[in-house]
Amino acid sequence: MFLSIVFCVCLITSNLLGTKQIQVGPIALTGGVLVFPISYIINDCVSEVWGYRMTRLLIWIGFLMNFFVVAVCALCDWIPGASYWQYDEQFHYVFGLAPRIAMASFIAFLCGSFVNAYVMSRMKLRDRGKHFSTRAVLSSVFGEVVDSLIFFPLALGGVIPWEAMPAMMFWQVVVKTGYEVVVLPLSIRIVRIVKNYEQVDVYDENISYNVLKVFSF
């Protein structure tokens, strides 16, 4: 439950922070990069401990909570402000997420998260539970590449120069992967603590990877 709460908070926060473009040295990134990688770390931890089926449920819960917040923010943005309210423009800039960006974010999140969970699951079976560090990093790389390949063209195509997009996508993946590598010792410790506490270590033998079978346990 705690991991699910943090997962949802990180997704919602990354959408809000994504409205700002930040500059780190020569690299241009979205503000969401500050927290979005945490969702992949939690994805890895849940997949490692409870398996793909529980991760699938977590991803859909995160999607629904994110959609709910975006929808409520859009509704509030649409309702006229009070006569004394002078910050409609500022509110709209932060909370009035354009439908194009919201849709791109939702699709990219679902595809990237499910790719991440699938790679984690298959690698754990192949390695018989060994090499968590390797599969945690590689699964995130696959997921983040898919996320970036979908999000940037759908959300920002025609907004930023097409020739600048590959570099932005590349650095998003590099920074997010570097983020995961830096906190990998913490991820390993969390997985070890949770496994010991829950007395659970699921291997996804003979399961369906159909993303729509949400309540298949």
Side-chain angles (χ1 to χ4, degrees), residues 18-158:
T19 57
K20 180 176 181 178
Q21 305 291 308
I22 60 176
Q23 190 80 23
V24 182
I27 305 171
L29 301 165
T30 62
V33 77
L34 297 175
V35 295
F36 188 71
I38 299 175
S39 68
Y40 274 84
I41 294 168
I42 295 175
N43 188 318
D44 290 342
C45 292
V46 173
S47 182
E48 175 68 17
V49 178
W50 289 284
Y52 178 85
R53 289 176 291 187
M54 190 64 72
T55 310
R56 175 172 53 200
L57 177 60
L58 175 64
I59 291 170
W60 280 113
I61 290 173
F63 172 83
L64 291 174
M65 295 301 98
N66 204 9
F67 181 84
F68 172 76
V69 170
V70 169
V72 172
C73 287
L75 176 62
C76 187
D77 184 46
W78 174 77
I79 298 173
S83 58
Y84 53 83
W85 175 257
Q86 302 175 6
Y87 305 103
D88 271 336
E89 185 177 346
Q90 293 88 335
F91 186 92
H92 175 75
Y93 187 80
V94 176
F95 295 103
L97 196 62
R100 176 184 177 185
I101 294 177
M103 185 60 65
S105 175
F106 292 148
I107 295 173
F109 161 71
L110 285 176
C111 294
S113 296
F114 278 118
V115 166
N116 182 82
Y118 176 81
V119 173
M120 273 290 294
S121 173
R122 300 307 299 175
M123 288 186 70
K124 183 176 181 179
L125 285 174
R126 187 196 67 181
D127 299 336
R128 302 314 304 167
K130 300 177 181 178
H131 313 304
F132 168 74
S133 299
T134 301
R135 62 178 172 272
V137 173
L138 286 180
S139 64
S140 293
V141 169
F142 279 104
E144 286 155 2
V145 167
V146 170
D147 184 283
S148 294
L149 286 174
I150 293 173
F151 176 76
F152 283 95
L154 289 181
L156 301 175

